[in-house]
Amino acid sequence: MNLFPRGIQNDAIGAPDQRRRLDAAAAATHAESFHAGLPGNHETACARFPAVTCSVQSSMVTGLMPNQRGIVGIGWYFRDLGEVLLWRQSNKLALGEKVWETAAGRFDDYTSANVGWWYAMNVSNDAIITPQPVYHQDGRKSPDCYTVPPDLHDILTEKLGTFPLFQYWGPTANITSSRWLVNASIEIIQRYSPTLFTA
């Protein structure tokens, strides 16, 4: 994952020789330093629990613990509905200011892209790609993805084919989906040149 903002690196992260690629554990600290004020302090962060994709990603982009931002796993019991719901995708469920929202409020002409993150629907990034299955009335599920801007979907599908959802997770997961996301990321960087790119 790369959370380095383009154009503010020297001010926010330090001199070029001090820059380093953040691993998953340090990314939460990176988000916290945006929220605490720049320049950032990048010390080792504690692993988040529960250690599942949805929860960890939410901690990485908010710097908050699950009890502070609401995402506790891939699903949970919704008291108001009286049922367990899995694999929700709306960013409105993930409480707390996101690192790109903090940065956008502090820097002029700041843009961000978000590729492959889970709670990416309804998020404030300028470019987004996230898996979004199509559920048919007869019970079938078809592979697809959600994009912002909307026309990016057709551009990527024409260039790369349909997003390989069934190679993204589950028993048939393999490198095919990673290649698709890498190529989509290249397209986003070339087309939009975002200040902050999270993938």
mmCIF file of all heavy atoms in Angstrom, residues 6 8 29 40 67-68 150 162:
data_model
loop_
_atom_site.group_PDB
_atom_site.id
_atom_site.type_symbol
_atom_site.label_atom_id
_atom_site.label_comp_id
_atom_site.label_asym_id
_atom_site.label_seq_id
_atom_site.Cartn_x
_atom_site.Cartn_y
_atom_site.Cartn_z
ATOM 1 N N ARG A 6 1.638 12.884 -3.068
ATOM 2 C CA ARG A 6 2.497 13.530 -4.048
ATOM 3 C C ARG A 6 2.394 15.035 -3.841
ATOM 4 O O ARG A 6 1.340 15.576 -3.596
ATOM 5 C CB ARG A 6 2.028 13.163 -5.467
ATOM 6 C CG ARG A 6 2.828 13.839 -6.550
ATOM 7 C CD ARG A 6 2.223 13.603 -7.924
ATOM 8 N NE ARG A 6 0.821 13.909 -8.036
ATOM 9 C CZ ARG A 6 0.296 15.132 -8.099
ATOM 10 N NH1 ARG A 6 1.064 16.196 -8.030
ATOM 11 N NH2 ARG A 6 -0.998 15.299 -8.224
ATOM 12 N N ILE A 8 3.374 16.936 -1.413
ATOM 13 C CA ILE A 8 3.566 17.427 -0.060
ATOM 14 C C ILE A 8 4.530 16.532 0.693
ATOM 15 O O ILE A 8 4.682 16.649 1.888
ATOM 16 C CB ILE A 8 2.235 17.548 0.705
ATOM 17 C CG1 ILE A 8 1.562 16.189 0.827
ATOM 18 C CG2 ILE A 8 1.330 18.581 0.105
ATOM 19 C CD1 ILE A 8 0.420 16.194 1.820
ATOM 20 N N THR A 29 -0.503 4.674 11.746
ATOM 21 C CA THR A 29 0.219 5.789 12.342
ATOM 22 C C THR A 29 0.268 6.956 11.367
ATOM 23 O O THR A 29 0.145 8.109 11.749
ATOM 24 C CB THR A 29 1.652 5.361 12.731
ATOM 25 O OG1 THR A 29 1.555 4.290 13.655
ATOM 26 C CG2 THR A 29 2.424 6.505 13.350
ATOM 27 N N GLY A 40 4.378 14.790 10.082
ATOM 28 C CA GLY A 40 3.982 13.581 10.784
ATOM 29 C C GLY A 40 5.123 12.896 11.509
ATOM 30 O O GLY A 40 6.288 13.078 11.203
ATOM 31 N N ASN A 67 -13.828 0.356 17.907
ATOM 32 C CA ASN A 67 -14.908 0.893 18.732
ATOM 33 C C ASN A 67 -15.107 2.393 18.533
ATOM 34 O O ASN A 67 -16.123 2.941 18.921
ATOM 35 C CB ASN A 67 -14.663 0.581 20.216
ATOM 36 C CG ASN A 67 -13.429 1.271 20.762
ATOM 37 O OD1 ASN A 67 -12.467 1.532 20.034
ATOM 38 N ND2 ASN A 67 -13.444 1.560 22.047
ATOM 39 N N GLN A 68 -14.161 3.065 17.882
ATOM 40 C CA GLN A 68 -14.272 4.498 17.612
ATOM 41 C C GLN A 68 -14.843 4.791 16.231
ATOM 42 O O GLN A 68 -15.372 5.864 16.004
ATOM 43 C CB GLN A 68 -12.898 5.159 17.726
ATOM 44 C CG GLN A 68 -12.296 5.074 19.112
ATOM 45 C CD GLN A 68 -10.850 5.535 19.102
ATOM 46 O OE1 GLN A 68 -10.016 5.013 18.378
ATOM 47 N NE2 GLN A 68 -10.566 6.529 19.919
ATOM 48 N N PRO A 150 -17.864 7.707 -12.888
ATOM 49 C CA PRO A 150 -18.595 6.564 -13.456
ATOM 50 C C PRO A 150 -18.073 6.080 -14.810
ATOM 51 O O PRO A 150 -18.067 4.877 -15.070
ATOM 52 C CB PRO A 150 -20.032 7.084 -13.580
ATOM 53 C CG PRO A 150 -20.130 8.150 -12.542
ATOM 54 C CD PRO A 150 -18.768 8.797 -12.493
ATOM 55 N N THR A 162 -13.696 -7.332 -17.773
ATOM 56 C CA THR A 162 -14.487 -7.231 -16.547
ATOM 57 C C THR A 162 -13.608 -7.511 -15.339
ATOM 58 O O THR A 162 -12.737 -8.381 -15.383
ATOM 59 C CB THR A 162 -15.648 -8.246 -16.587
ATOM 60 O OG1 THR A 162 -16.451 -7.962 -17.739
ATOM 61 C CG2 THR A 162 -16.505 -8.179 -15.340
#
